[in-house]
């Protein structure tokens, strides 16, 4: 199989995950199914992974669903929704709350079977060249932020753009954009964003989760014997949780380096900005649900999972972290 990806080769986080997934499938199958990885641009551009798998150029892709909102309006929810599910909540929704069934239905017309296959954990809010002091500072601000977070930023007066990961630093340095979000400290450090912007904002309300997806050609998958199909599924599931733990460790490590050695300044988004973004996120999800019946089904499933898990997360996670502090 050929695996195409949206990432620079061996980028800490998703690039490492993609390579490890390819190697795991090859090893677990004892070489009966060999997967060769092609980084962004080697066969197809970073933002052409979905059509490459759908059209048969590759049998598997590793990417993020937030890039495919133009093709599948609800797809970004399967990376993250603004003010939505945490990494563990997201995994719970997909595996136990009906999320996988909706995801399968969304991608079925394109001949693609999706799997969770990596997670970069909680995201940071983004890199900004100038400090944000009020909501007014977002007006006209050019920010790289794809997915539903970008739609929220648009509603707040910013000008969101979608730029392939490997092109973000150049865009920041050249002044094409004023700010950018990507992932968390580990991957962001590797991409060198601190060289172009020093203000690093939190919380990452736009992406409280960072699920990476494996896109599998349904025809290629169905052509495999059942044991190899099971290996593909198991390798994706194993990589999903392995990558999440790795990201948490590396994010903690690189955050310290960014602050202590690179002069990065951590800033909280102004309260009025977060409040406005939260309200705009509700509007954006409601507007998304009006697109078509299947999109509405995905939004309803996402919201239902958020509501179902809310009280338990408040009692367990929030109370414990407050006590630990």
């Amino acid at each position: 199989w050929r695996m195409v990806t949206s990432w620079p080769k061996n980028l800490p986080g998703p690039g490492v995950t993609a390579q490890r997934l390819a190697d795991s499938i090859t090893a677990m199958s004892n070489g009966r199914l060999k997967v060769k990885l092609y980084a962004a641009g080697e066969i197809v551009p970073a933002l052409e992974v979905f059509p490459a798998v759908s059209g048969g150029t590759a049998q598997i892709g590793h990417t993020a669903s937030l890039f495919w909102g133009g093709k599948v309006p609800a797809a970004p929810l399967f990376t993250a929704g603004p003010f939505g599910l945490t990494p563990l909540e997201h995994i719970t929704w997909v595996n136990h709350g009906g999320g996988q069934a909706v995801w399968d239905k969304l991608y079925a017309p394109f001949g693609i079977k999706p799997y969770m296959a990596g997670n970069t954990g909680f995201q940071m809010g983004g890199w900004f060249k100038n400090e944000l002091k009020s909501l007014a500072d977002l007006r006209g601000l050019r920010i790289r932020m794809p997915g539903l977070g970008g739609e929220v930023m648009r509603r707040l007066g910013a000008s969101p753009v979608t730029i392939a990961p490997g092109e973000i630093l150049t865009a920041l340095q050249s002044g094409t954009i004023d700010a950018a979000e990507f992932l968390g400290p580990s991957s962001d450090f590797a991409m060198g964003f601190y060289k172009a912007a020093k203000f690093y904002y939190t919380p990452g309300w736009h992406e409280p989760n960072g699920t990476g997806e494996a896109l599998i050609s349904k025809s290629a998958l169905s052509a495999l014997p059942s044991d190899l199909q099971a290996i593909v599924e198991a390798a994706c599931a194993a990589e999903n949780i392995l990558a999440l733990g790795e990201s948490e460790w590396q994010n903690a490590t690189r955050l310290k380096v960014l602050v202590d050695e690179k002069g990065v300044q951590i800033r909280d988004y102004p309260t009025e900005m977060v409040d406005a973004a939260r309200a705009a996120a509700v509007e954006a999800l409601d507007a998304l649900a009006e697109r078509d019946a299947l999109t509405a089904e995905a939004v309803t499933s996402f919201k239902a999972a958020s509501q179902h898990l809310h009280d338990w997360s408040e009692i367990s996670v929030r109370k414990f972290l407050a006590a630990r502090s």
Side-chain angles (χ1 to χ4, degrees):
W1 280 9
R2 293 182 299 277
M3 174 192 280
V4 292
T5 80
S6 294
W7 324 116
K9 194 170 183 63
N10 290 323
L11 170 70
V16 170
T17 281
Q19 185 64 67
R20 193 160 52 208
L21 177 61
D23 294 343
S24 293
I25 293 172
T26 303
M28 290 167 68
S29 68
N30 197 27
R32 290 168 57 211
L33 177 57
K34 297 178 180 178
V35 181
K36 179 173 174 56
L37 181 145
Y38 295 89
E42 290 186 342
I43 292 182
V44 297
L47 304 185
E48 295 295 328
V49 170
F50 192 99
V53 175
S54 179
T57 300
Q59 293 79 26
I60 180 172
H62 194 275
T63 182
S65 68
L66 59 82
F67 295 135
W68 319 127
K71 294 179 174 61
V72 184
L77 289 174
F78 291 87
T79 295
F83 296 94
L85 301 167
T86 67
L88 183 55
E89 288 174 336
H90 187 96
I91 292 168
T92 302
W93 169 48
V94 174
N95 282 340
H96 304 285
Q100 184 69 58
V102 179
W103 200 9
D104 289 346
K105 198 181 295 186
L106 288 170
Y107 284 12
F110 301 91
I112 290 175
K113 166 68 176 176
Y115 289 110
M116 294 185 292
N119 197 312
T120 51
F122 287 96
Q123 313 292 278
M124 285 291 286
W127 297 85
F128 293 78
K129 292 184 176 181
N130 299 306
E131 193 169 5
L132 299 173
K133 297 182 179 179
S134 72
L135 184 58
D137 291 335
L138 289 181
R139 293 180 191 142
L141 184 117
R142 297 162 299 176
I143 181 169
R144 185 271 182 189
M145 184 176 283
L148 291 166
E151 172 59 18
V152 171
M153 278 292 190
R154 185 191 68 78
R155 290 170 180 262
L156 298 183
S159 298
V161 296
T162 299
I163 298 174
E167 300 169 10
I168 299 173
L169 179 59
T170 300
L172 270 175
Q173 291 174 324
S174 67
T176 301
I177 55 176
D178 308 302
E181 66 75 41
F182 182 47
L183 299 174
S186 176
S187 297
D188 287 2
F189 175 84
M191 298 289 271
F193 299 144
Y194 63 88
K195 299 173 185 176
K198 290 298 183 183
F199 296 105
Y200 201 20
Y201 273 81
T202 186
W205 53 259
H206 67 294
E207 284 180 32
N209 175 61
T211 292
E213 63 177 3
L215 304 177
I216 314 288
S217 163
K218 291 182 72 174
S219 61
L221 186 64
S222 63
L224 297 177
S226 60
D227 63 328
L228 291 186
Q229 292 184 34
I231 282 173
V232 170
E233 183 173 356
C236 289
E239 183 54 41
N240 195 54
I241 195 63
L242 181 65
L244 178 57
E246 181 179 57
S247 292
E248 289 294 287
W249 186 266
Q250 293 300 335
N251 282 337
T253 301
R254 290 306 184 191
L255 180 63
K256 183 174 178 58
V257 174
L258 286 168
V259 173
D260 293 349
E261 300 179 21
K262 303 301 181 182
V264 170
Q265 299 182 48
I266 306 298
R267 291 285 186 272
D268 290 340
Y269 275 122
T271 301
E272 66 165 340
M273 194 176 291
V274 175
D275 291 342
R278 188 185 304 110
V282 173
E283 296 173 357
L285 275 179
D286 288 344
L288 181 65
E290 294 174 358
R291 296 287 293 270
D292 57 74
L294 188 50
T295 299
E297 183 180 348
V299 172
T300 298
S301 179
F302 181 83
K303 285 183 174 181
S306 298
Q307 292 166 0
H308 179 75
L309 295 168
H310 177 271
D311 289 352
W312 173 236
S313 293
E314 288 289 310
I315 290 172
S316 59
V317 180
R318 186 192 294 275
K319 295 289 187 182
F320 170 72
L321 290 177
R324 191 174 70 176
S325 295

